[in-house]
Amino acid sequence: MTVVSLENVTFAYAEQPAVKDVSLTVDEGDFLGLVGPNGSGKTTLLHLMLGLHSPDSGSIELFGEPVAAFDEGERIGYVSQQATSRGGSMPVTVREAVTMGRFAHAGHGRLTDADRATVDDALETVGIADLADRQVNQLSGGQRQRAYIARALASEADLLALDEPTVGVDAESRDAFYQLLESLNASGITIILIEHDIGVVTDRANRIACINTELYHHSDTESFVESDALTEAYGATGQVLHHHH
Ligand code: ADP
Ligand code: MG
């Protein structure tokens, strides 16, 4: 099954397109790494995929439906860029925030014991059960990002879309976080990950899309590593990030 499909998608904020003539598909079970230099249109492309921007031309489908008509938001867990930074979030506890992810499944806003158990399971899976009663705005970046994932799990999301989710997160938590993503992917959840560290992406993703306004490369990870896509896409700006093992 195709989870996301873009055909000849172009989008501009002003005159210059931020995304130009991009066609690509994400299949069920994929772990897609979306890479490209700063300002290359990664966030814009993800917003287009999720229906947060409408394309100027081209077409976009989400779970086989035109994205403009798609109304099953609970199937998507989205961690936006800078979601891990402090401030701006509502004064709710972790459990409350994760429980919100469950409301789409609860009839008439009433949570059953099974719904509450699903919330507990989600907290357990991402390793923050002990933080359930803490305020979300008191969490560290890494803990907060886990809370967002738990909310997506509680809503039984089929697709997780993450925009540079580990910015500001320490190296150890980052590693654990990417292991969590890998195991969620192994359990069948489709993942789209924007990440500036190319090494992380080639270690974890099974497919890579490399963009710089236009799509430079879209393939399985092995072909990407063997290709010139990085040099081509980053060439103009020369800011390739090297992985530190
Ligand atoms: P990336 O996520 O790869 O860093 P973005 O998608 O954020 O790239 O940005 C792509 C281009 O679009 C950049 O030139 C950026 O300056 C521009 N851009 C992004 N958001 C806006 C906006 N809200 N209004 C105008 N231009 C924008
Ligand atoms: Mg971005």
Side-chain angles (χ1 to χ4, degrees), residues 4-243:
V4 186
S5 153
L6 287 86
E7 262 179 63
N8 306 109
V9 168
T10 295
F11 173 84
Y13 293 100
E15 272 111 79
Q16 290 278 35
V19 167
K20 191 175 170 193
D21 201 25
V22 170
S23 300
L24 68 84
T25 57
V26 182
D27 291 325
E28 189 175 9
D30 273 351
F31 188 148
L32 174 76
L34 184 54
V35 302
N38 277 333
S40 60
K42 302 181 296 295
T43 296
T44 305
L45 188 65
L46 191 60
H47 283 179
L48 285 159
M49 289 176 171
L50 302 179
L52 301 171
H53 296 312
S54 304
D56 298 327
S57 59
S59 63
I60 303 169
E61 289 190 350
L62 203 49
F63 294 102
E65 260 186 79
V67 68
F70 183 79
D71 63 356
E72 297 171 283
E74 72 278 4
R75 297 185 74 178
I76 300 168
Y78 172 47
V79 180
S80 65
Q81 199 165 3
Q82 262 104 54
T84 53
S85 61
R86 275 157 200 286
S89 80
M90 289 182 293
V92 293
T93 66
V94 172
R95 185 188 303 283
E96 286 165 342
V98 174
T99 301
M100 286 176 199
R102 195 64 209 160
F103 281 136
H105 294 273
H108 311 293
R110 285 185 146 267
L111 294 176
T112 63
D113 286 348
D115 289 320
R116 289 182 209 287
T118 305
V119 168
D120 286 340
D121 281 351
L123 289 166
E124 199 74 49
T125 301
V126 305
I128 55 168
D130 54 329
L131 302 174
D133 299 319
R134 196 87 61 87
Q135 298 284 311
V136 171
N137 56 21
Q138 288 170 352
L139 300 182
S140 73
Q143 291 165 341
R144 180 177 300 217
Q145 145 232 76
R146 281 168 186 268
Y148 284 106
I149 304 284
R151 188 173 60 185
L153 293 181
S155 79
E156 293 175 41
D158 303 309
L159 169 65
L160 277 183
L162 308 123
D163 194 345
E164 303 198 7
T166 61
V167 168
V169 175
D170 65 87
E172 205 175 315
S173 314
R174 261 176 60 147
D175 237 41
F177 177 69
Y178 282 118
Q179 276 170 29
L180 169 65
L181 285 192
E182 249 187 348
S183 70
L184 294 177
N185 180 236
S187 79
I189 296 177
T190 305
I191 293 179
I192 303 174
L193 170 70
I194 296 177
E195 165 63 62
H196 62 276
D197 187 329
I198 305 291
V200 162
V201 178
T202 53
D203 282 354
R204 310 284 179 182
N206 72 319
R207 295 189 69 77
I208 311 270
C210 181
I211 69 161
N212 196 349
T213 309
E214 294 174 71
L215 186 65
Y216 277 77
H217 198 88
H218 179 222
S219 72
D220 59 280
T221 303
E222 258 177 44
S223 318
F224 168 76
V225 171
E226 288 162 9
S227 76
D228 294 331
L230 264 188
T231 336
E232 284 171 23
Y234 286 71
T237 52
Q239 28 165 300
V240 177
L241 269 157
H242 291 283
H243 190 44

